[in-house]
Amino acid sequence: MANLREIKDITICESTTEMLIKGRADNVSTAFDRADDIKPCPIGALQACCKHCFMGPCRLSSKAPYEKVGVCGANIDVFQARGFGRIVAAGTAAHSDHGREMSELFLSVAKGENSDYSITDVPKLMSMAKDMGVATEGREQKDIAIELGEKCLAQFGQQHGYLKLLDRAPKKRFQKWQDLNILPRGVDREVVEMMHRTHMGVDQDYKNLVLGAARCALADGWGGSMISTGLSDIMFGTPKPIEATVDLGVLEKNMVNIVVHGHEPHMLDMVCRLSTDPEMVAKAKAVGAEGINVVGMCCSGNEQLVRRGIPHAGNFMQCDSAIITGAVDAMFVDVQCIQMGLVPLSKCYHTKFITTNYRCKIEGAEHVEFHGEHGAREAGVELVTKAVENFKNRGVVQIPSKKTKMIGGFSHEAINYMLGGSFRGSYTPLNDNIINGKIRGVAGVVGCNNPRVKHDWVHAELVKELLRNDVLVVQTGCSAIAMAKLGFMQPEAALKYCGPGLREVCAAVGMPPVLHSGACVDNSRILEAVCEMVRAGGLGDDISDLPVAGAAPEYMSEKAIAIGHYFVASGVFTVFGVTFPVTEGTKFADYIFNGIEQDLGGKWAFETDPYKMAQLMIDHIDSKRQALGIHVQKERVLFDMEARRQL
Ligand code: MSK
């Protein structure tokens, strides 16, 4: 391949650097190399190509006169809005299909038809039941769980009304959605409708399309994703602060290494349990290994890291590197973010690359079908046995030594408890510290890695800049792993990286300044956290009043755009990096970057420079502080009796 970047320009991650050097010496190709080899299509990057019918494809560009239209007469704004709508529909479909899988699994457990999994978090069962309108008083736990499972599953195919968990939103926010007629009715209905509206000859009003996409995205955040997170918590436990270790150094030289990569927590859960099963351990010892080491990768790994402290090998752009170590005896994958390039790469080493889900088969990969609802243990035994049997085939092994300790597990419930204690659990202390200015605001920094930018660097520089300015950071997904590897999820990080106000709060509570909340599907936890902030009072009566902002600095997936759009539709200023599917100077661009704020209270921004990105977020936070009248730190006033009476 010609013109490959130097490795120092590809990543700031030490262990990835070491493995990319090895990979080049081994003459194998990685996604970083392919990104150098294949340039992005300039028309596609601007969302200026329409393939929605076969009179085209029609291509417009920023250089074409604004009046130029496609064969059907559709203009550049409709090209972009239709493309954007389909991206949101695809992202929503991905999260929500995962949510459906969790609902079906949960229902099989609730009915007692599945002994491979169980209900482990009864308080979460009760709170979720209440929010889904399931009566709990005087009823058997089993009956509550069955009704909850059925109600959750029905949300996907519901045709009328609105998704029940939207009731968690502040009243003003709900009213805004109702006034705009964008309350999602059912998850599947909104995805199907978006696909219909973007078909040739249907919706050709860019604003109507963007608002339709908002309805679809809300079905993701407040529907499919929120259901998935809630039911997974009931089965696998609601995260609370827990220690874990991240980076490629979690691989073990003398153990059978299994990397589980994908998005569905139940396969990883089963494989983890089997790794300590005496029969499986005996099998491992019989082939000369000391035992079985199961580690996560990407988001199912994130889910089980924040719940159980399972070691995590790395984020999306470290999958290649894990295989290049030569120490991965098997990589089991389920759905989402699985790169096809990992299959030929695994054949260059000894790694068994095994797909496990009927929805995600890859040519050249071995397939062992795993179903959570039936036969999970048997499939798990088959998978783990294949990894164990492959241990003897190892060649040269080079495991980077780098691994970092971290504290993760900050669900919105854990934040509530951490700040207020078990008897007075509340977001009031957080709000108080925002009002008194010690914490300037809160930022959600989430999303993927993208090989077109320096791996982990944009995440790191953005987060450093936010912390320096007293902005508390909440994270999910691959972004969280980037910061965990760099040590930002240790309480001591507050002393090193934070401004004086945030440092003081973190030191008092003993928490890290960067809070890991889970997988990309768990961004719904951040929605719940901002609802709690509104409920606690003092910071306005809508999410859009809060001094908060969101960012996905290295995103790459359609899911990320769906997440971004549900945050914008929920009233949050949201900045994306790398690239954005938009042609500047169009009415569509002006609407999503500006005008949409009038309608929804949130808006999009696009910026690739992490320092400018941070500035945009801080400026937004400051503007909200100003609107709330908390922008200047007030002198403490001592009240006399008369003043108290007036109060
Ligand atoms: S895994 S969607 S690269 S966060 Fe959720 Fe990471 Fe993005 Fe996949």
Side-chain angles (χ1 to χ4, degrees):
M1 284 182 191
N3 299 324
L4 298 185
R5 278 169 289 177
E6 285 189 53
I7 290 170
K8 69 174 175 46
D9 298 325
I10 290 179
T11 180
I12 60 165
C13 171
E14 287 169 35
S15 55
T16 307
T17 299
E18 186 183 334
M19 286 304 101
L20 292 179
I21 292 169
K22 180 175 185 290
R24 286 196 181 167
D26 294 348
N27 205 20
V28 297
S29 147
T30 66
F32 289 113
D33 300 338
R34 292 189 292 274
D36 290 344
D37 193 45
I38 184 162
K39 297 288 169 225
C41 162
I43 308 257
L46 300 174
Q47 197 74 253
C49 172
C50 177
K51 296 190 296 176
H52 295 225
C53 80
F54 300 93
M55 298 188 287
C58 296
R59 299 188 308 166
L60 301 174
S61 81
S62 51
K63 294 199 185 73
Y66 203 71
E67 309 72 47
K68 182 136 173 83
V69 293
V71 175
C72 71
N75 60 24
I76 184 79
D77 296 302
V78 169
F79 275 33
Q80 291 175 96
R82 280 200 296 224
F84 184 81
R86 286 212 168 172
I87 293 170
V88 169
T92 301
H95 281 142
S96 298
D97 205 35
H98 166 58
R100 186 196 334 270
E101 179 97 358
M102 289 305 104
S103 304
E104 286 181 333
L105 176 67
F106 177 79
L107 196 52
S108 70
V109 173
K111 286 180 174 168
E113 297 166 355
N114 184 349
S115 57
D116 287 328
Y117 300 94
S118 58
I119 288 171
T120 65
D121 191 334
V122 176
K124 182 83 179 210
L125 168 71
M126 296 303 169
S127 73
M128 181 94 178
K130 184 171 147 266
D131 289 355
M132 283 298 296
V134 176
T136 55
E137 205 58 32
R139 296 182 73 193
E140 294 285 327
Q141 182 182 305
K142 183 175 180 181
D143 296 336
I144 295 168
I146 292 173
E147 190 181 336
L148 174 62
E150 280 167 348
K151 280 203 157 145
C152 286
L153 199 52
Q155 294 281 280
F156 294 89
Q158 184 171 287
Q159 301 301 323
H160 303 290
Y162 64 86
L163 294 175
K164 187 74 183 111
L165 294 178
L166 291 157
D167 280 334
R168 285 177 171 171
K171 279 200 168 55
K172 200 166 165 189
R173 176 68 14 199
F174 186 93
Q175 191 61 48
K176 196 177 276 291
W177 293 329
Q178 194 159 40
D179 293 346
L180 287 166
N181 196 25
I182 59 167
L183 282 171
R185 294 150 290 189
V187 179
D188 297 352
R189 176 162 189 176
E190 302 313 338
V191 174
V192 169
E193 185 175 291
M194 202 64 236
M195 294 305 286
H196 175 204
R197 284 164 75 152
T198 52
H199 185 276
M200 187 271 154
V202 188
D203 202 348
Q204 286 155 95
D205 178 306
Y206 69 94
K207 274 194 198 177
N208 205 40
L209 279 159
V210 172
L211 290 174
R215 191 178 206 172
C216 183
L218 290 169
D220 174 351
W222 299 83
S225 284
M226 205 173 266
I227 288 171
S228 177
T229 297
L231 297 183
S232 300
D233 280 354
I234 297 170
M235 290 184 282
F236 305 112
T238 302
K240 46 184 179 295
I242 189 164
E243 191 178 72
T245 311
V246 292
D247 214 342
L248 291 170
V250 298
L251 296 171
E252 297 283 351
K253 190 159 182 238
N254 300 322
M255 295 178 91
V256 173
N257 286 308
I258 297 174
V259 174
V260 180
H261 167 27
H263 282 78
E264 302 203 320
H266 55 317
M267 193 256 287
L268 176 53
D269 178 82
M270 178 54 74
V271 172
C272 273
R273 279 188 271 148
L274 287 168
S275 70
T276 53
D277 181 271
E279 213 174 300
M280 300 310 294
V281 174
K283 277 189 191 177
K285 291 196 168 159
V287 296
E290 287 173 3
I292 302 167
N293 179 38
V294 179
V295 302
M297 193 121 217
C298 280
C299 274
S300 51
N302 271 315
E303 279 206 38
Q304 297 296 23
L305 178 156
V306 295
R307 292 195 175 102
R308 296 172 47 182
I310 287 169
H312 198 287
N315 51 18
F316 176 65
M317 283 312 297
Q318 289 184 278
C319 296
D320 289 319
S321 293
I323 293 173
I324 292 170
T325 62
V328 176
D329 301 300
M331 186 177 274
F332 305 153
V333 301
D334 48 53
V335 292
Q336 301 170 22
C337 304
I338 321 293
Q339 300 180 60
M340 190 171 185
L342 296 174
V343 176
L345 181 70
S346 65
K347 293 192 194 307
C348 298
Y349 298 89
H350 84 302
T351 305
K352 269 195 180 293
F353 191 92
I354 307 180
T355 55
T356 62
N357 195 289
Y358 75 97
R359 294 173 293 179
C360 174
K361 291 189 178 179
I362 303 177
E363 190 184 346
E366 207 174 321
H367 186 79
V368 173
E369 198 128 319
F370 182 93
H371 292 276
E373 291 145 74
H374 52 85
R377 189 181 160 85
E378 289 76 4
V381 168
E382 187 181 344
L383 284 163
V384 175
T385 304
K386 280 181 185 286
V388 169
E389 287 170 352
N390 199 30
F391 180 76
K392 61 179 182 301
N393 297 322
R394 279 191 189 179
V396 176
V397 168
Q398 182 181 333
I399 301 174
S401 58
K402 182 112 190 308
K403 53 181 170 182
T404 307
K405 289 252 184 257
M406 59 162 293
I407 307 286
F410 296 94
S411 56
H412 77 276
E413 292 95 333
I415 296 172
N416 198 44
Y417 172 78
M418 184 175 68
L419 293 170
S422 50
F423 300 112
R424 292 184 297 113
S426 150
Y427 273 63
T428 304
L430 173 66
N431 285 16
D432 285 349
N433 280 309
I434 292 174
I435 292 165
N436 69 26
K438 283 186 185 144
I439 297 178
R440 193 170 190 160
V442 181
V445 181
V446 305
C448 328
N449 299 125
N450 188 317
R452 298 209 177 274
V453 298
K454 196 172 183 177
H455 172 229
D456 290 349
W457 180 77
V458 198
H459 292 299
E461 295 307 301
L462 170 62
V463 170
K464 279 187 210 163
E465 205 58 21
L466 292 169
L467 297 181
R468 212 164 57 78
N469 285 283
D470 291 316
V471 177
L472 178 68
V473 175
V474 183
Q475 294 209 278
T476 61
C478 293
S479 183
I481 296 300
M483 300 316 297
K485 285 186 291 176
L486 292 165
F488 282 72
M489 293 183 181
Q490 297 160 352
E492 307 79 61
L495 301 173
K496 210 162 153 192
Y497 298 106
C498 296
L502 181 59
R503 191 187 312 146
E504 189 187 323
V505 175
C506 290
V509 181
M511 68 179 192
V514 179
L515 307 179
H516 189 345
S517 302
C520 45
V521 75
D522 296 328
N523 280 308
S524 59
R525 294 193 201 282
I526 302 181
L527 289 179
E528 292 195 62
V530 289
C531 290
E532 292 291 342
M533 286 172 74
V534 173
R535 241 188 303 283
L539 293 175
D541 50 11
D542 192 359
I543 297 169
S544 56
D545 295 333
L546 298 171
V548 302
E554 298 184 19
Y555 87 102
M556 63 84 200
S557 77
E558 290 168 315
K559 286 183 294 172
I561 299 255
I563 293 166
H565 207 43
Y566 73 61
F567 272 102
V568 168
S570 301
V572 179
F573 174 64
T574 303
V575 196
F576 269 39
V578 192
T579 180
F580 204 78
V582 73
T583 303
E584 276 180 38
T586 56
K587 285 184 282 179
F588 169 79
D590 185 50
Y591 183 59
I592 61 165
F593 293 142
N594 296 302
I596 198 170
E597 195 173 21
Q598 291 291 320
D599 293 327
L600 287 165
K603 64 177 177 179
W604 284 92
F606 167 54
E607 176 56 63
T608 54
D609 178 307
Y611 312 109
K612 290 186 187 158
M613 201 180 272
Q615 201 50 56
L616 286 172
M617 295 168 81
I618 292 164
D619 287 349
H620 176 80
I621 284 169
D622 285 351
S623 73
K624 293 294 169 185
R625 294 185 66 86
Q626 183 144 20
L628 290 163
I630 56 169
H631 53 300
V632 276
Q633 210 168 339
K634 293 193 184 100
E635 287 284 323
R636 219 174 140 191
V637 180
L638 292 174
F639 287 101
D640 58 18
M641 231 19 224
E642 182 52 34
R644 281 211 187 101
R645 255 184 234 117
Q646 281 181 17
L647 205 67

